[in-house]
């Protein structure tokens, strides 16, 4: 077991302490159900062939087909794929989607591939994992460095192999190929619903609270845009190269226009009080709500003591390390965990799959109303568990999810799940 997965699995133990769960259930959830590794031999534009390591993990499918993105990144490895699949299992259960958790990855630097090489790589992935994935078995989606176009190639390859249109095999597709309206801003919108619903409990309010967002990509931008429209002041945002801070508040739309033109947030139109900061300084800025929305392991042992926000909303996956979590909890800082905070993305992916299966497509208002109808009660339930059991919100979210997963495992009976029966 890799280090990341070993750390992630500790959440299971922490949650199990607060529930009366059969030890067999915990033992089952300590390991992925199945993982497949393959080497994708891809024809490059110069005629040569190159091998790329690839993985797909189906962590647990008790509650339904496994669901989770495919990541293209040079550092992807089995440990990371398994960890992300573990997190997806709990995220889908928090949102009460009829899914288990899965994840995939390819160790590749997409910046070094041409578009045609990227297409051949994506089609090769489906060829290698065609028996593993499927609309009722395991449903991929985009993740880091994969997007709607990659999903379209993959859905097309799968449909050709199945000899029938199979849009439900993958979500995050372009609208023209069966994607859902409202998927583009779903992650930011889901986080926004959570904050607005719990804002009184969290001591936040639109007229008084200042928000700092790390990152300015899909999740971050839509969250900032919606909060700004409701009156919250967005006083800082960043990208991989720089951060900007304006005590009077930034306009996310203007920052995005600038970023689209120049490729960076720095230099966006602001007033005279604005200044540039380093990413480290941005995280430590005085504010009421801090939103890491870029990448893993940003709040760590070394900076957890310096975080000034009383509330953290994890739009990124895994931005807080367990060591930082302990420090933040001791300091009374409320961390709204990733498996709740960013569950809006997978929830609208689920809506996409439902629409594909029904062949009937919903207007964007319906998607947003249905998303809200999931995010708000689940956020409330996690908050109530936190209060009832006097635990941090992350543990509460895991307790909430584990209760659902364990009930499903137990409802199946031991025979179906443990070789040799009870
Ligand atoms: P994205 O690629 O659209 O944006 C990422 C942003 O982070 C970019 O603005 C980039 O410049 C910035 N960034 C990269 N490295 C940085 C660094 N070191 N410091 C500051 N900023 C940095 O990605 P996204 O889809 O918005 O995903 C962001 C996070 O949200 C990831 O952790 C992802 O797993 C998580 N997430 C996204 C979705 C979704 O639907 N998009 C769903 C669930 C979780």
């Amino acid at each position: 077991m890799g280090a990341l997965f070993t750390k992630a699995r500790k959440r299971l133990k922490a949650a199990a302490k607060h529930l009366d769960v059969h030890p067999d259930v915990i033992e089952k959830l300590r390991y992925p159900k199945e993982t497949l590794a393959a080497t994708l031999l891809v024809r490059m534009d110069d005629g040569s062939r190159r091998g790329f390591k690839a993985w797909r993990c189906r962590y647990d499918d008790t509650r339904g087909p496994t669901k989770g993105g495919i990541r293209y990144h040079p550092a992807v490895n089995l440990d990371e794929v398994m960890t992300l699949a573990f997190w997806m299992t709990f995220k889908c259960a928090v949102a009460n989607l009829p899914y288990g958790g899965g994840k995939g990855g390819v160790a590749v630097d997409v910046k070094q591939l041409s578009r045609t090489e990227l297409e051949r790589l994506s089609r090769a992935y489906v060829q290698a994992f065609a028996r593993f994935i499927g609309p009722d078995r395991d449903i991929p989606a985009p993740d880091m460095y994969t997007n709607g176009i990659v999903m379209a190639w993959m859905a097309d390859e799968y449909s050709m192999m199945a000899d029938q249109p199979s849009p439900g095999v993958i979500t995050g597709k372009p609208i023209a190929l069966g994607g859902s309206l409202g998927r583009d801003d779903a992650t930011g919108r889901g986080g926004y619903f959570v904050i607005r619903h719990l804002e009184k409990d969290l001591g936040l309010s639109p007229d008084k609270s200042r928000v700092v967002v790390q990152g300015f990509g899909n999740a971050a931008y839509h969250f900032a845009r919606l909060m700004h429209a409701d009156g919250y002041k967005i006083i800082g945002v960043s990208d991989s190269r720089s951060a900007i801070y304006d005590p009077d508040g930034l306009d996310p739309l203007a920052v995005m226009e600038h970023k689209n033109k120049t490729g960076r947030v720095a230099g966006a139109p602001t007033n005279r009080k604005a200044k540039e900061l380093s990413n480290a300084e941005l995280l430590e800025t005085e504010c009421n709500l801090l939103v890491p929305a870029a990448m893993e392991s940003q709040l760590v042992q070394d900076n957890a003591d310096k975080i000034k926000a009383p509330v953290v909303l994890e739009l990124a996956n895994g931005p807080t390390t367990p060591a930082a979590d302990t420090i933040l909890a001791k300091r009374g800082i409320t961390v709204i965990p990733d498996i709740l905070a960013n569950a809006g993305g997978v929830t609208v992916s689920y809506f996409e799959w439902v629409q594909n299966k029904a062949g009937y497509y919903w207007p964007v208002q319906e998607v947003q109303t249905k998303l809200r109808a999931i995010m708000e009660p689940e956020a409330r339930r996690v908050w109530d568990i936190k209060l009832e059991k006097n635990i941090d919100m992350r543990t509460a979210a895991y307790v909430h999810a584990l209760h659902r997963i364990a009930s499903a495992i137990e409802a199946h009976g031991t025979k179906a799940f443990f070789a040799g029966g009870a």
Side-chain angles (χ1 to χ4, degrees):
M1 298 293 164
L4 196 63
F5 182 65
T6 306
K7 271 189 210 155
R9 222 168 45 168
K10 289 195 176 136
R11 311 285 191 202
L12 180 62
K13 211 169 156 193
K17 278 191 206 147
H18 300 278
L19 286 172
D20 182 19
V21 176
H22 195 286
D24 288 354
V25 168
I26 301 302
E27 185 61 8
K28 172 175 165 53
L29 290 172
R30 290 184 69 228
Y31 306 97
K33 180 184 167 86
E34 50 183 347
T35 309
L36 191 61
T39 303
L40 312 181
L41 273 179
V42 179
R43 177 82 64 203
M44 308 305 281
D45 290 345
D46 66 5
S48 65
R49 274 197 187 261
R50 253 182 76 187
F52 297 91
K53 295 294 293 173
W55 298 269
R56 185 80 196 161
C57 173
R58 299 180 67 234
Y59 197 89
D60 183 77
D61 66 350
T62 315
R63 303 183 76 253
T66 45
K67 182 92 192 80
I70 299 172
R71 179 171 288 193
Y72 286 179
H73 193 276
V76 167
N77 55 42
L78 178 59
D79 182 34
E80 184 178 60
V81 169
M82 268 166 46
T83 305
L84 288 161
F86 173 88
W87 285 337
M88 283 307 296
T89 305
F90 285 83
K91 192 184 297 184
C92 290
V94 164
N96 209 13
L97 309 178
Y99 285 148
K103 204 80 184 190
V106 182
V108 57
D109 182 356
V110 293
K111 289 176 191 147
Q112 290 183 8
L113 296 191
S114 70
R115 190 180 159 94
T116 47
E117 288 167 344
L118 189 63
E119 177 171 352
R120 286 195 289 270
L121 176 89
S122 304
R123 289 182 183 275
Y125 187 92
V126 172
Q127 286 160 18
F129 293 95
R131 283 168 293 116
F132 210 67
I133 62 175
D136 294 306
R137 194 169 198 277
D138 177 39
I139 308 147
D143 193 72
M144 278 166 72
Y145 295 106
T146 52
N147 56 20
I149 305 293
V150 171
M151 297 305 112
W153 291 327
M154 288 185 166
D156 182 60
E157 189 65 29
Y158 187 88
S159 298
M160 282 200 294
M161 291 177 79
D163 201 21
Q164 59 184 13
S166 310
V169 70
I170 252 165
T171 61
K173 299 178 294 295
I175 303 290
L177 289 174
S180 177
L181 294 173
R183 176 63 186 88
D184 51 346
D185 70 5
T187 303
R189 188 175 291 274
Y192 157 81
F193 284 148
V194 170
I195 288 292
R196 294 295 332 252
H197 186 67
L198 294 180
E199 72 188 357
K200 285 199 182 69
D201 309 270
L202 296 165
L204 300 171
S205 70
D207 49 334
K208 293 199 199 82
S209 302
R210 292 149 311 143
V211 183
V212 165
V213 183
Q214 186 201 32
F216 207 61
N218 175 283
Y221 166 66
H222 290 293
F223 176 79
R225 174 178 67 78
L226 292 163
M227 293 289 281
H228 173 78
D230 283 4
Y232 276 90
K233 248 185 207 169
I234 311 297
I235 60 165
V237 301
S238 63
D239 57 29
S240 55
R241 287 179 286 183
S242 59
I244 48 172
Y245 166 78
D246 184 342
D248 287 342
L250 298 153
D251 175 1
L253 280 99
V255 177
M256 188 46 103
E257 267 175 31
H258 174 81
K259 186 172 181 253
N260 285 341
K261 271 191 225 138
T262 64
R264 51 196 305 168
V265 296
T270 48
N271 67 41
R272 278 182 296 131
K273 287 189 202 147
K275 57 180 180 181
E276 272 191 44
L277 298 178
S278 69
N279 242 303
E281 288 170 325
L282 185 88
L283 292 175
E284 295 162 19
T285 300
E286 189 97 40
C287 62
N288 307 90
L289 173 64
L290 175 64
V291 186
M295 49 198 294
E296 291 108 89
S297 305
Q298 296 301 297
L299 306 184
V300 296
Q301 184 150 22
D302 287 352
N303 66 5
D305 262 334
K306 299 178 197 137
I307 302 303
K308 301 194 183 65
V311 183
V312 173
L313 178 80
E314 294 186 332
L315 280 189
N317 280 315
T320 312
T321 63
D325 240 351
T326 309
I327 298 169
L328 296 174
K330 270 196 198 132
R331 294 184 55 216
I333 294 176
T334 303
V335 179
I336 306 174
D338 46 8
I339 59 169
L340 169 67
N342 69 32
V346 70
T347 300
V348 177
S349 271
Y350 162 61
F351 295 163
E352 178 176 335
W353 178 78
V354 169
Q355 292 170 80
N356 292 153
K357 282 188 157 266
Y360 174 69
Y361 290 83
W362 312 338
V364 70
Q365 291 79 5
E366 191 171 342
V367 172
Q368 291 169 359
T369 305
K370 285 184 155 76
L371 175 62
R372 184 179 202 146
I374 287 184
M375 297 305 296
E376 290 187 350
E378 300 304 344
R380 175 60 56 197
R381 186 69 198 116
V382 171
W383 183 260
D384 288 347
I385 294 171
K386 166 193 151 68
L387 296 183
E388 278 160 27
K389 301 194 180 286
N390 193 22
I391 52 182
D392 61 78
M393 255 187 116
R394 189 184 315 279
T395 311
Y398 274 86
V399 166
H400 185 37
L402 179 59
H403 176 69
R404 283 180 172 151
I405 301 168
S407 307
I409 294 174
E410 287 169 5
H412 273 284
T414 48
K415 197 151 181 244
F417 278 91
F418 306 107

